[in-house]
Amino acid sequence: MMKVLFVCLGNICRSPAAEGVFLHLLKERGLSNQFLVDSAGTGGWHVGNPADRRMQAAANRRGIQLPSRARQISFDDFSEFDLVLTMDNANLTAVQSLARKAGARATAMIQPMLSYAHRFSETEVPDPYYGGEAGFEHVLDLLEDACVNLLDELSPQA
Ligand code: 4NP
């Protein structure tokens, strides 16, 4: 069982979308039982909330559901998960700092999500929260690209 955690700032837009896109791909490929997938935020403002309704609407238009309820990342996540994927550079810095504080139990590998993108050269998933509709679509375009390549890499035999 491979355990993957997607992380952004609020855990209501980008990382719930990444989680939903990845879960959707797993279902399509019949690999759902081989992965545990979750998302979390470096911030705690939205804890308990469902994904932003604009993010959900954009995902639903692509046939993707976003089951996430927001939670804040914890020290335990760095021992519980194999892979932690961050959406932007601020998330990456915050997560690396937390992992250092978690000490030797922090065994998870930490990587930028877009290190898996092939079709796009951007290195960060932009925060769509204060922008328009197009921002949410672009987040999904980036995440679909990265998720396909991530899964190809994690399940080369499938
Ligand atoms: P996310 O977007 O990090 O993609 O979930 C955000 C949503 C809300 C806030 C920040 C980022 N906020 O500060 O309320």
Side-chain angles (χ1 to χ4, degrees):
M1 171 81 71
M2 179 83 187
K3 298 179 182 176
V4 183
L5 180 68
F6 299 99
V7 176
C8 64
L9 177 58
N11 194 211
I12 55 167
C13 293
R14 293 166 292 175
S15 60
E19 176 188 359
V21 167
F22 196 69
L23 286 170
H24 184 78
L25 271 178
L26 289 174
K27 206 169 187 178
E28 279 185 346
R29 297 193 189 180
L31 296 173
S32 302
N33 58 359
Q34 294 185 32
F35 289 82
L36 188 148
V37 182
D38 197 7
S39 65
T42 59
W45 312 282
H46 298 283
V47 166
N49 291 353
D52 183 288
R53 64 179 68 243
R54 299 163 296 173
M55 194 74 253
Q56 289 201 50
N60 292 350
R61 286 195 291 273
R62 300 185 187 204
I64 296 165
Q65 311 303 316
L66 305 186
S68 167
R69 289 274 169 176
R71 71 173 181 87
Q72 192 167 15
I73 192 169
S74 73
F75 287 145
D76 288 341
D77 287 321
F78 296 103
S79 49
E80 181 63 24
F81 288 87
D82 302 299
L83 186 55
V84 176
L85 293 159
T86 54
M87 299 299 132
D88 66 24
N89 292 339
N91 310 150
L92 180 62
T93 303
V95 161
Q96 285 170 333
S97 166
L98 278 173
R100 269 194 299 276
K101 291 187 185 121
R105 61 191 165 135
T107 50
M109 184 158 72
I110 300 164
Q111 295 179 317
M113 183 63 181
L114 292 191
S115 64
Y116 289 93
H118 291 179
R119 291 192 292 119
F120 295 89
S121 57
E122 289 158 75
T123 56
E124 302 184 88
V125 183
D127 187 344
Y129 193 69
Y130 294 106
E133 185 100 331
F136 292 88
E137 294 297 335
H138 186 55
V139 165
L140 290 172
D141 291 341
L142 292 168
L143 292 176
E144 286 186 330
D145 181 16
C147 279
V148 163
N149 299 310
L150 172 64
L151 185 53
D152 284 348
E153 198 151 312
L154 295 179
S155 62
Q157 78 290 355

